[in-house]
Structures are given as C-alpha cells and as structure tokens.
Amino acid sequence: MPHPTTLSADDLERMRASVSPPVQSDREARRQAIKLKSEQRTATWPNTLEAMRKKKDRWKKDREERLEEERTKVDEEEMRLQREAQTKQIERANRLLYEQTDRMKTLRSKQLLADVVHLEEKKMLKDQDDLTNYLYDRQVLAKVLEGEEEEQRQRKRKQEENARLAAIQKQQLEEYKQRYISELREEKMDGKRMKQHAEQEYLDEMEKERQRKIRMKQASEETQLANERLRAHREMQKEKERLEDAKRDEDERKKQLRDAKRMDLQRQKKENAQARKQRMIDLATKNLVKLEQKNEERLQNQSKEVRAKEDKELKERADRRAAEKEAIARSRRHQLECKQREKEHEAQEALESVIQWEQFGRRIEMQSKQEEQERRLEDLRLAVGQKQQADARRKTIMDERVAALQDDQEARRALEYENERFKVVAQQALDEARERGLTNVFPIQKALVEKRIDLLHASGFRV
C-alpha cells in the first residue's frame, strides 16, 4: 500500500507555477498591445518591405499558376484533339470493317438497285411522256379533221332528214283524217250493235227468270214429297225398333233363366266335390293316426334296444378307459423320470456351453467393435473424399455454366448491338433516299426488315 505524501501550500503553488505559462507583466502586456496595433496598421501599407516581398512572391506564384493553367489547357486541348483524331480513326476503321459485313453489303447493293431503278424509271417516264405527247398531237389532229368531215355529213344528213320528216308529216296528216272518219263510222255501227245486243240480253234475262221460277216450283213440290216419304220411313223405323226391343227383352229373360240353372248346377257340383274331399280327408286322418301309432311302438322298441346297447358300450368304454388311464399314468411317471435326468444333463451341458459362448461372445464383440470402428473411420474418410470431389465437380460445373452464360449474354448483346446499329444505318439510308426523291425504296425497306443472313467465306452458302 503506497504511503501518503503531504505537501505544503507553497510547494503546491510552486509546482503549479512551474507547469503553467509565465505570468505576463504590465510592461510586457503593453508592449504586445502596441506591437499588435502596429502590425494591424502596417498590414495595409503597400510600400513596406514585407508587403513588397509578399507582393513579389504572390506575383511569381500567380505567374506560375497562370502559366501552369495555360500549359494545362494546351495539354488538355492537345489530348482532346488526339482523342478526337483517335476516335475518328477508330470509328472510320470500324465503319470500314462494318461496311465489309454481309448485311451492309446487302444494304449497299439494295441502295444501288434503288438508284438504278429510279434512273430507269425516270428515263422510262420521259420516253413515255414524249411518246404520249406525240400520240396525243396525232390524235388531236385526226379528231379535228374527223370533226370537220362529220360536221359536213351531219349538215347534209340533217337536210335530208328534214325533207323526209316533212313528207312523213304530210302523209301522217292524211292518214289521221282518214282514220278519224273511219272511227266515226265505226262508232255509229258500234252503237247500233250495242242497242241490238242490249235488247237481246233483256229478252234472255226474262226467259232465264221464267225458267228459274219453274225450277223453284218443281223443287218445292219435290221437297214436300220427300218429307212425306221421310215421315213414313220414320214410322216404319219406330215400329221395327219396338219389335227389336221386345225381342231383346225376351232374350234377356231366357238368358237369366239359363244363368240361374247353370249356377244351381255349379253349386251342386261344388257341394258333391266338397263331400268327396271331406271323406278323403277323414280316411287319410284315420290312416295317419294308425301309422303314427305303429311308428311310435317301433320307435319305443328301437329306443329300448339302443339304450341297452349304449349301456353295454358305456360299461366297456369305462373299463377300457380305466385300463388306459393306468397305463398312461405309468408311462407318464417313466417319462417324467427320463425328462428329469435329461434335464439335469442338459442343464450341465448348457452351463458349460454358456461359459464357452460368453467367452467367445466377448472376443467376437471386441473384434466387431474394432472392425466397426475401423469401418466407420474408413467410411468417414471416403465420405470426406467424395464430398470434396463432389464440391470440386459442382464448382467446376457451376464455373463452366457461368462462363457459358456470360459468353451467351455477351454474344446476345453483341448481336443486339449489331442489329440496332444496322437498323440505324439502314434507316439513315432510307431517309437519305427519300430526301433525294427516290420513289421506289422497296429494296432498302426489304433489306431493313429481312432476316439476318450469314455467308460462308469461300462458297457463299447461307447458314
């Protein structure tokens, strides 16, 4: 345990003074204040040595920074120009390489085909326009000549037609006059014929009315005669029906008598049959009673004989059972004695066998445990080795799959980029062709949308 140390106040004050900053006197404080004011005042003066030295240093530093900035700008501009030149060279090289691809060659060939078709169409259109103008002029001239000839023919035909019409009109006027006179004559004759026809129709109508009245009178007389015959026929029918009703009543009465006789005969037959049946039942009952009595007597005799026979058999069986029981008891005692001796002998042998088997079992158990332990260690080593191999194989397969997937993705991205680039170039070519006034841009459109085709290097077969 450390011993406590006792310090006086003077010692403590001395120790504090030794570690604290020195105490500034009033003179020193006043001097420091004057110095601070002087520095603050001279800091704004430009013609002091310190200010001139700082200005010179600052000017040198600014000049160096300005020169360095200019050099940096020059370097950056140079690097930019170099990068642009390099980029242009790379783009030109890539463009030249891309122009050598099959799709770009196909596109350029389609552009050339479109240009050729456009020129051919322009030439064909010009030739066709010239031919059309020539043919049109010929047709117009021919039509003018034909028009003049046709006008003369029309004028002559019109004069002839007017003369012919005048003659026809004169002839038609004469024919109209004759036809009008004939119609007046015909109307007069028709009036006479209509008058005669009306008189004849009136006479015919009167004759028809007279004949109709005669027929109606005859029909009325025939109707009255038919009614009288009908009444006589009805009277005869009523008499015939009355006779038939009487005959039916007589037949019904005779039928009832026959039915009553038949019922009496059937009742008598039934009573006779019932009597015969009752007699047969009584006779059968008597015979059955006699037969039962005989059977009862026979059964009693047979039961007595059977009972006597059974008593004899039971007695013999009891004697035989007693003899067999005695023999069984003797045999059992002998067997028990033999079993006891065998049991004692077997117990002795079993005890010896148990001791031997216990020793053998302990040895076998120790060997089995040792073999089991060795087998477990071997299985463990084998399992560890197989697991390591499986892990290595799995890792290899996964690495191969990842690499294949990455390669596939890279190839797909490259193919997509190439397709997009081709679409952009083809669209630019299509727009350029349309701006140049090409109307038939179908080859370029077909090259834009057709499926990608790769050609082999030597044969040019499609793949």
Side-chain angles (χ1 to χ4, degrees):
M1 182 176 180
H3 298 284
T5 302
T6 304
L7 295 176
S8 62
D10 296 335
D11 293 336
L12 181 60
E13 187 65 27
R14 182 178 55 78
M15 293 173 67
R16 287 178 177 175
S18 64
V19 298
S20 61
V23 179
Q24 193 175 18
S25 62
D26 295 337
R27 184 172 178 274
E28 183 67 24
R30 188 168 55 255
R31 190 178 67 81
Q32 291 292 334
I34 293 170
K35 182 181 179 182
L36 180 61
K37 289 180 181 180
S38 177
E39 289 177 355
Q40 290 177 357
R41 185 178 296 173
T42 58
T44 59
W45 293 353
N47 55 356
T48 59
L49 294 175
E50 183 68 22
M52 293 176 68
R53 184 179 59 79
K54 288 182 178 180
K55 183 178 180 181
K56 186 177 181 180
D57 293 339
R58 188 165 55 252
W59 176 78
K60 289 181 179 180
K61 185 177 180 181
D62 292 340
R63 188 184 63 177
E64 291 294 334
E65 289 179 356
R66 188 168 56 255
L67 293 175
E68 182 65 25
E69 186 176 356
E70 290 177 358
R71 287 194 296 269
T72 303
K73 288 182 179 179
V74 171
D75 293 339
E76 290 178 355
E77 184 67 20
E78 184 67 24
M79 290 177 65
R80 185 181 64 80
L81 293 175
Q82 289 180 1
R83 283 197 301 270
E84 288 180 356
Q86 185 179 5
T87 304
K88 289 180 180 179
Q89 291 293 331
I90 293 172
E91 289 178 354
R92 181 174 178 275
N94 290 332
R95 186 169 60 254
L96 292 175
L97 290 175
Y98 189 67
E99 289 290 336
Q100 298 301 318
T101 58
D102 296 333
R103 298 185 74 182
M104 289 303 298
K105 289 180 180 179
T106 304
L107 178 62
R108 298 309 179 196
S109 65
K110 299 296 183 182
Q111 285 182 282
L112 180 61
L113 177 61
D115 293 337
V116 171
V117 169
H118 180 66
L119 294 176
E120 291 293 333
E121 286 181 353
K122 288 178 66 176
K123 185 177 179 181
M124 289 174 62
L125 289 174
K126 184 178 179 181
D127 295 341
Q128 189 175 2
D129 291 339
D130 295 339
L131 181 61
T132 302
N133 293 329
Y134 174 74
L135 294 176
Y136 180 74
D137 294 339
R138 294 288 302 274
Q139 289 178 0
V140 169
L141 182 60
K143 286 183 179 180
V144 169
L145 296 175
E146 289 178 1
E148 292 178 355
E149 294 177 358
E150 183 67 23
E151 187 177 357
Q152 292 178 2
R153 287 195 298 271
Q154 289 289 340
R155 191 181 300 112
K156 185 177 180 181
R157 191 183 303 112
K158 191 172 183 180
Q159 292 176 358
E160 293 176 355
E161 186 69 21
N162 291 332
R164 188 175 63 80
L165 287 175
I168 291 172
Q169 288 177 356
K170 186 176 180 181
Q171 184 180 358
Q172 287 178 352
L173 180 60
E174 186 67 26
E175 290 177 355
Y176 176 74
K177 288 170 63 177
Q178 294 296 330
R179 188 168 58 253
Y180 181 70
I181 293 170
S182 299
E183 288 178 356
L184 291 176
R185 291 175 181 173
E186 288 292 334
E187 288 178 357
K188 186 176 181 181
M189 295 298 294
D190 289 339
K192 291 180 179 180
R193 285 195 297 271
M194 288 175 65
K195 182 179 179 182
Q196 293 176 0
H197 184 67
E199 291 176 352
Q200 184 65 33
E201 285 183 352
Y202 176 73
L203 294 175
D204 294 339
E205 187 68 25
M206 293 297 292
E207 182 65 21
K208 288 180 181 179
E209 183 67 21
R210 188 178 63 80
Q211 293 292 335
R212 186 178 65 79
K213 289 180 179 180
I214 292 171
R215 286 196 300 273
M216 289 179 65
K217 185 176 180 181
Q218 291 178 356
S220 177
E221 292 176 354
E222 290 177 356
T223 302
Q224 291 178 0
L225 182 61
N227 289 333
E228 291 178 357
R229 286 198 296 270
L230 181 60
R231 282 195 295 272
H233 180 69
R234 286 178 179 175
E235 291 294 334
M236 291 175 64
Q237 288 291 333
K238 287 181 180 180
E239 183 64 23
K240 187 182 291 185
E241 288 177 358
R242 187 179 61 76
L243 294 175
E244 288 179 355
D245 290 338
K247 185 177 181 181
R248 278 198 301 273
D249 293 339
E250 183 66 22
D251 292 339
E252 185 66 24
R253 187 178 62 77
K254 290 180 180 180
K255 183 179 179 182
Q256 289 178 358
L257 291 174
R258 287 196 301 271
D259 291 340
K261 290 180 180 180
R262 187 173 64 254
M263 292 297 292
D264 292 339
L265 182 60
Q266 289 179 357
R267 183 174 53 77
Q268 290 178 2
K269 287 182 179 180
K270 188 175 182 181
E271 289 177 355
N272 294 331
Q274 187 68 26
R276 286 196 303 273
K277 189 183 293 184
Q278 187 64 36
R279 286 195 299 272
M280 291 174 66
I281 290 171
D282 294 339
L283 181 61
T285 302
K286 291 179 181 179
N287 293 330
L288 184 60
V289 169
K290 291 180 180 179
L291 183 60
E292 286 180 354
Q293 289 178 357
K294 289 181 180 180
N295 290 333
E296 185 68 25
E297 292 176 357
R298 187 172 63 254
L299 288 173
Q300 288 179 359
N301 295 329
Q302 289 178 357
S303 63
K304 289 179 180 178
E305 293 176 357
V306 169
R307 192 177 298 111
K309 187 176 181 181
E310 287 179 354
D311 293 339
K312 184 178 179 181
E313 288 180 355
L314 289 173
K315 185 177 179 181
E316 292 177 354
R317 192 179 300 168
D319 296 339
R320 191 167 56 253
R321 189 180 295 113
E324 290 176 354
K325 189 180 292 184
E326 182 64 25
I328 290 170
R330 287 196 304 271
S331 176
R332 184 174 296 172
R333 286 194 298 271
H334 180 68
Q335 289 178 359
L336 290 174
E337 291 175 357
C338 292
K339 285 182 179 180
Q340 184 65 27
R341 288 193 298 271
E342 291 178 358
K343 189 175 182 181
E344 291 175 356
H345 182 65
E346 289 176 356
Q348 185 65 28
E349 290 180 352
L351 182 60
E352 294 176 357
S353 298
V354 165
I355 295 171
Q356 293 177 0
W357 280 108
E358 285 180 355
Q359 295 175 358
F360 181 73
R362 283 194 294 270
R363 290 196 303 271
I364 294 298
E365 186 176 359
M366 290 177 65
Q367 292 177 0
S368 299
K369 288 181 179 179
Q370 187 176 2
E371 291 176 356
E372 182 69 20
Q373 188 175 3
E374 292 177 356
R375 186 176 59 79
R376 287 182 179 178
L377 291 175
E378 184 66 25
D379 292 342
L380 184 59
R381 286 194 296 271
L382 182 61
V384 171
Q386 290 178 351
K387 187 175 183 303
Q388 292 176 354
Q389 293 177 0
D391 293 340
R393 176 62 178 170
R394 191 179 300 109
K395 184 178 180 182
T396 303
I397 292 173
M398 291 300 295
D399 293 340
E400 291 177 355
R401 288 181 180 176
V402 170
L405 183 60
Q406 290 178 354
D407 294 340
D408 190 15
Q409 290 178 354
E410 290 293 336
R412 189 178 291 109
R413 283 196 293 269
L415 184 60
E416 290 177 356
Y417 173 74
E418 185 178 353
N419 290 333
E420 292 296 330
R421 182 179 180 183
F422 177 76
K423 288 181 180 179
V424 171
V425 174
Q427 188 64 38
Q428 291 176 357
L430 182 61
D431 296 338
E432 182 182 356
R434 287 175 176 172
E435 290 176 358
R436 288 192 290 112
L438 298 181
T439 57
N440 190 358
V441 292
F442 177 74
I444 302 176
Q445 292 177 349
K446 184 178 179 182
L448 178 61
V449 299
E450 69 181 356
K451 186 178 178 182
R452 175 187 176 92
I453 298 174
D454 294 333
L455 301 178
L456 295 178
H457 299 291
S459 63
F461 294 144
R462 293 184 177 183
V463 294

